[in-house]
Amino acid sequence: ADHAPRAFQIDPNQRPTRAAPIIVSSGNQQGEIIVSQFPITGLHDLPAPITRWRGNVGLTPTDNLNSNPPQEMTLAQGPATLREFSGPESAGAARKRQFVIYTQFPGQPTTWFFRFVGPYELVSTNKPAFEAFVKSLKFDTK
């Protein structure tokens, strides 16, 4: 985590299936970056997490995977997908936003997920830093 921007701090509270979350602070607002790894083998497994990610920001479930369309991006070790979830504007100051980047390395049975979730403005402002952070990570693919 030595590549993390200054506003990013490691949360000391460990949770199963996740690396330690990285806390992103700005003023009195706080968001978090959550890194996790799951045995998801392809896009057919995605409706459940997409529903969960939509729920994280107050959106209703949907069967339409293109309601939060995938955007392709490139990491050091290969291609990745970015999806964006913005909570309803009616939430006002409590509105949330989440970016999810996920990637699967060739020959590996697991998919890595990087979720950045928090207050809408905080997450929007820190999106470039989040993308740069994920792009800077080195994975042991053995």
Side-chain angles (χ1 to χ4, degrees), residues 62-137:
T62 179
D63 291 331
N64 178 5
L65 292 183
N66 289 320
S67 58
N68 302 91
Q71 303 165 50
E72 298 308 314
M73 61 182 293
T74 304
L75 304 180
Q77 268 101 336
T81 303
L82 168 75
R83 287 183 191 254
E84 183 261 331
F85 302 84
S86 291
E89 289 185 29
S90 59
R95 187 181 188 198
K96 288 186 162 182
R97 190 170 200 188
Q98 175 168 238
F99 291 105
V100 182
I101 296 173
Y102 53 94
T103 186
Q104 187 172 9
F105 300 120
Q108 283 205 308
T110 56
T111 301
W112 286 88
F113 294 91
F114 306 91
R115 295 194 298 118
F116 180 24
V117 62
Y120 188 88
E121 290 299 325
L122 173 82
V123 171
S124 302
T125 303
N126 284 282
K127 181 186 183 226
F130 170 60
E131 287 190 14
F133 168 67
V134 175
K135 286 179 179 177
S136 77
L137 297 173

